[in-house]
Amino acid sequence: MDAEHLAVILATTLVLLGSSKHYTADAENRHVFLDWEVSYAVRSPLGVARRVITIDGRLPGPLLNLTTNDVAHINVVNTLDEPFLLTWNGLQMRRNSWNDGVAGTNCAISPTENWTYVFQAKDEVGSFFYRPSLGLHAAAGGHGPIRVNNRPVIAVPFAQPDSEFDVLIGDWYNMDVKEMRGYLDRGRDLPSPDGILINGLGPYAADFTFQPGRTYRLRVSNVGTRTSLSFRIQGHKLLLVEAEGTYTRQKHYASLDVHPGQSLSVLVTADQLPKPSYYMVVSSLFVEPELFGVANVLYAGSGGLQPPGAAPLEDLSSHNGYNRSMEQARTVRMNLTCGAARPNPQGSFRYGRINMSRTLLLRNDEAEIGGRRRCTVNGVSFAGAATPLKLADHFDLAGVFAVVSGRPERRRQPSLGTAVIDARYRDFVQIVFENRVPSLQTWHLDGYNFFVAGMGWGKWSPDARSTYNLVDAIYRSTVQVYPSAWTAVLVSLDNEGMWNLRSQSLDRRYLGQEIYMRVSQGSSEVPDPRDELPMPPNALLCGKAKSSKIGRA
Ligand SMILES: *[C@@H]1O[C@H](CO)[C@@H](O)[C@H](O)[C@H]1NC(C)=O
Ligand SMILES: *[C@@H]1O[C@H](CO)[C@@H](O)[C@H](O)[C@H]1NC(C)=O
Ligand SMILES: *[C@@H]1O[C@H](CO)[C@@H](O)[C@H](O)[C@H]1NC(C)=O
Ligand SMILES: *[C@@H]1O[C@H](CO)[C@@H](O)[C@H](O)[C@H]1NC(C)=O
Ligand SMILES: *[C@@H]1O[C@H](CO)[C@@H](O)[C@H](O)[C@H]1NC(C)=O
């Protein structure tokens, strides 16, 4: 290393006391180095002690605070007694499904071992979260917020808020994950959750302090097991500004729906006469009985707290049924004129004018397979493989996964399978999700955002295109599909790799509601590193790839 290079690293290395976080910079990008210890702990947010998963002893785990184009190096140390992986929900992981952290791309980190994820937040901004990806680990916590901040040279389409809060909300079970697995393995549905947490805390336990007159950005994510939630702050309006990396048309709401796995940002101005405090209320949607999570919003200097129960929570819930929820969803749109990660306007990619090369139709349902209730996608219930599909593909190992058409097949008996849809790099594809079961679904695609072009009741047909929003549809990575309804999304396949398409309901995914999409150029040539990064030098090998050599196939 020459002296000049060393000086740059020394000058930009910052070691924070008491943590192993530090930064270096190369000629182009900042590198962020983190060590995260994953461990069990006991917490009782609802008064019942249960085993949870923490990151560095915390639940929620530490904020992953990046700026566009930062390269993150996250050394995850697994002290659990089970294999473990984290995934980066909503980050695009450009050219790098190698670091996506799902069972189809990565060998798990074994107990007592560690592994370093390396990925770049390339050309993105926004609010996301990380969570465990194996089994039902995520129902035990292990999650934390991710922010990707704008580079200083790129304008943000609103006045800089005075401060920001990460608000992770989710349903919560008092039972251990093993017991939850027991229900599902015996073919039974999970019972209702026991409550709703805000930043890992039970009702009235979390506090958010506002200075009168100031404006705050709240980055809200639903990190729960399976319940759709409605978010509001008593007496305050929510100005929606961002959803999963896209700046929205700014619009005021009294409450906003946040479905499992979704993230959004709202601006809240502390413009109320200081009562002692206000409630932040998170209520469950579409389930009986209604559940409430509550936190306190305090005005600095106002003194005192509104006692629990001072206002009936029922009056602070949205009572949205499916129809009103769908109406609200249609109002969440992209701001076409502002730039996001790059200066060019978000609307400059005129997705409505691009011809679709293909329509995938993914119908989720339930079926009894081998005497057990399973969730299916086009009749196939996903069965995990001992060899990550990405490695099987890379090393040409046969018999690990089966390529499927991406359309429902007549006369197919529901069965288990390790299904992969083959897709061509740079195609522009429509994915239609059709929901055949009486509960709301949320679907998430790793590696991408998609344009949420349309939603409707009943069965989808090609004529539905006349109802699509082909101008300013929101561009996000997790979308809801209402019961007996469909949602159509459009996606530009500009990111090579093996990408997980999954239900964000942890129980449904556990029961097989997921699939992978292999986006490739279809030739047997080694991918150009400008299209896909080479296998990382630290890649873990397992299953049929255990004795393969890292690097080229
Ligand atoms: C996150 O990073 C940005 C940019 O480096 C910095 O300004 C901000 O203070 C950081 N926020 C937190 C909570 O660390
Ligand atoms: C495991 O952690 C050690 C010590 O921090 C580090 O040197 C090593 O690179 C890590 N291993 C992997 C595979 O990331
Ligand atoms: C929702 O709207 C659909 C179509 O407009 C209608 O058929 C259905 O009855 C409505 N459901 C409820 C619960 O209002
Ligand atoms: C869209 O973004 C621009 C900044 O480019 C901003 O001035 C405008 O208020 C935004 N419009 C809406 C409806 O959010
Ligand atoms: C889309 O398809 C139409 C009709 O097939 C064709 O005329 C048009 O040129 C195509 N547009 C693009 C951008 O490829």
Side-chain angles (χ1 to χ4, degrees):
M1 190 182 303
D2 59 51
E4 194 181 73
H5 192 184
L6 183 65
V8 168
I9 291 183
L10 289 178
T12 54
T13 297
L14 168 70
V15 180
L16 299 175
L17 280 178
S19 109
S20 48
K21 180 193 221 169
H22 69 279
Y23 304 99
T24 64
D26 60 25
E28 288 162 39
N29 303 304
R30 187 173 76 147
H31 291 243
V32 179
F33 296 84
L34 298 161
D35 284 299
W36 282 358
E37 187 175 287
V38 181
S39 48
Y40 292 122
V42 173
R43 295 286 154 85
S44 34
L46 299 177
V48 176
R50 86 162 256 206
R51 190 165 77 160
V52 302
I53 295 174
T54 59
I55 309 289
D56 277 355
R58 291 156 63 182
L59 178 63
L63 166 67
L64 176 56
N65 185 36
L66 302 175
T67 297
T68 306
N69 296 346
D70 278 358
V71 182
H73 302 246
I74 306 178
N75 184 12
V76 173
V77 183
N78 179 13
T79 75
L80 309 182
D81 58 3
E82 292 183 50
F84 183 84
L85 283 174
L86 280 179
T87 192
W88 318 97
N89 197 84
L91 287 188
Q92 307 264 297
M93 309 302 292
R94 290 205 66 83
R95 305 181 292 149
N96 192 0
S97 64
W98 300 111
N99 276 273
D100 199 29
V102 290
T105 60
N106 291 76
C107 300
I109 307 169
S110 299
T112 74
E113 310 231 310
N114 65 294
W115 191 66
T116 306
Y117 290 82
V118 182
F119 56 86
Q120 184 176 24
K122 181 75 183 156
D123 291 333
E124 63 187 324
V125 293
S127 310
F128 316 97
F129 63 93
Y130 58 85
R131 62 155 51 154
S133 69
L134 300 182
L136 286 177
H137 279 165
H143 52 249
I146 302 177
R147 300 180 194 169
V148 184
N149 304 293
N150 282 70
R151 287 182 294 144
V153 293
I154 313 276
V156 177
F158 42 83
Q160 193 59 41
D162 288 283
S163 181
E164 303 196 3
F165 293 102
D166 303 293
V167 187
L168 302 192
I169 59 179
D171 60 4
W172 187 252
Y173 286 84
N174 285 332
M175 66 173 122
D176 192 84
V177 160
K178 286 203 174 88
E179 203 180 328
M180 295 171 86
R181 276 204 303 255
Y183 273 89
L184 301 174
D185 290 342
R186 286 196 304 274
R188 294 173 57 194
D189 197 4
L190 288 177
S192 290
D194 295 294
I196 292 171
L197 305 190
I198 300 178
N199 285 346
L201 298 172
Y204 307 101
D207 291 343
F208 296 84
T209 303
F210 289 180
Q211 300 288 336
R214 301 270 173 85
T215 296
Y216 297 89
R217 179 175 185 172
L218 276 58
R219 298 177 185 252
V220 184
S221 295
N222 184 337
V223 298
T225 298
R226 62 174 191 170
T227 309
S228 293
L229 301 171
S230 167
F231 178 84
R232 85 161 63 204
I233 298 178
Q234 184 187 14
H236 293 73
K237 283 182 298 208
L238 309 172
L239 183 65
L240 179 69
V241 294
E242 181 248 344
E244 290 153 32
T246 298
Y247 290 122
T248 62
R249 291 176 59 118
Q250 295 171 21
K251 187 173 152 51
H252 280 107
Y253 295 85
S255 69
L256 272 162
D257 294 356
V258 194
H259 301 286
Q262 292 185 331
S263 302
L264 51 81
S265 289
V266 292
L267 299 184
V268 180
T269 300
D271 57 2
Q272 295 305 296
L273 280 176
K275 290 218 267 193
S277 67
Y278 298 83
Y279 296 150
M280 175 187 288
V281 177
V282 180
S283 55
S284 62
L285 289 166
F286 326 130
V287 292
E288 291 292 337
E290 192 173 27
L291 299 168
F292 293 95
V294 192
N296 299 304
V297 173
L298 303 127
Y299 276 46
S302 72
L305 260 187
Q306 178 176 227
L313 297 178
E314 289 69 25
D315 296 351
L316 294 170
S317 108
S318 77
H319 302 295
N320 267 2
Y322 289 122
N323 278 358
R324 273 175 56 191
S325 179
M326 194 193 282
E327 277 166 32
Q328 184 181 83
R330 289 201 174 102
T331 66
V332 178
R333 293 173 178 221
M334 175 165 61
N335 180 334
L336 296 172
T337 59
C338 62
R342 287 189 277 194
N344 53 319
Q346 293 185 135
S348 51
F349 183 76
R350 295 178 190 273
Y351 68 94
R353 293 195 189 162
I354 303 174
N355 290 337
M356 296 179 302
S357 37
R358 185 176 174 195
T359 295
L360 304 173
L361 181 57
L362 302 182
R363 192 176 280 163
N364 70 281
D365 209 338
E366 289 173 12
E368 202 159 296
I369 301 172
R372 281 193 188 165
R373 172 181 160 261
R374 298 277 305 186
C375 296
T376 57
V377 184
N378 293 344
V380 181
S381 186
F382 192 85
T387 313
L389 316 186
K390 180 70 195 153
L391 296 186
D393 189 37
H394 182 79
F395 292 119
D396 251 328
L397 306 169
V400 173
F401 59 84
V403 172
V404 295
S405 67
R407 310 273 304 189
E409 290 162 33
R410 271 173 219 279
R411 295 200 308 267
R412 176 187 264 282
Q413 287 299 315
S415 59
L416 296 178
T418 307
V420 173
I421 298 169
D422 247 337
R424 239 193 7 238
Y425 185 49
R426 298 200 188 288
D427 266 7
F428 189 71
V429 169
Q430 164 168 245
I431 307 176
V432 178
F433 300 104
E434 248 188 33
N435 181 9
R436 286 292 178 88
V437 303
S439 60
L440 182 139
Q441 309 296 313
T442 51
W443 279 101
H444 172 84
L445 177 58
D446 279 355
Y448 288 95
N449 273 16
F450 41 58
F451 298 93
V452 181
M455 291 180 182
W457 301 106
K459 279 192 186 169
W460 174 86
S461 82
D463 307 333
R465 189 176 161 90
S466 64
T467 68
Y468 288 2
N469 176 353
L470 293 176
V471 179
D472 61 356
I474 189 65
Y475 184 60
R476 67 190 315 171
S477 59
T478 297
V479 73
Q480 69 271 33
V481 191
Y482 293 90
S484 304
W486 54 268
T487 295
V489 303
L490 304 174
V491 54
S492 175
L493 298 179
D494 58 0
N495 195 10
E496 268 191 45
M498 182 70 78
W499 299 110
N500 188 221
L501 180 55
R502 62 174 171 271
S503 169
Q504 295 276 43
S505 296
L506 302 177
D507 54 333
R508 303 195 72 87
R509 183 186 188 210
Y510 180 79
L511 293 173
Q513 192 172 321
E514 68 176 314
I515 194 164
Y516 281 80
M517 209 152 104
R518 173 172 61 181
V519 179
S520 70
Q521 308 195 26
S523 70
S524 53
E525 281 166 37
V526 179
D528 185 326
R530 281 170 301 185
D531 297 327
E532 181 168 17
L533 296 177
M535 179 180 245
N538 67 343
L540 298 175
L541 300 172
C542 57
K544 289 187 177 178
K546 189 149 185 67
S547 49
S548 302
K549 287 256 180 311
I550 289 174
R552 288 189 179 179

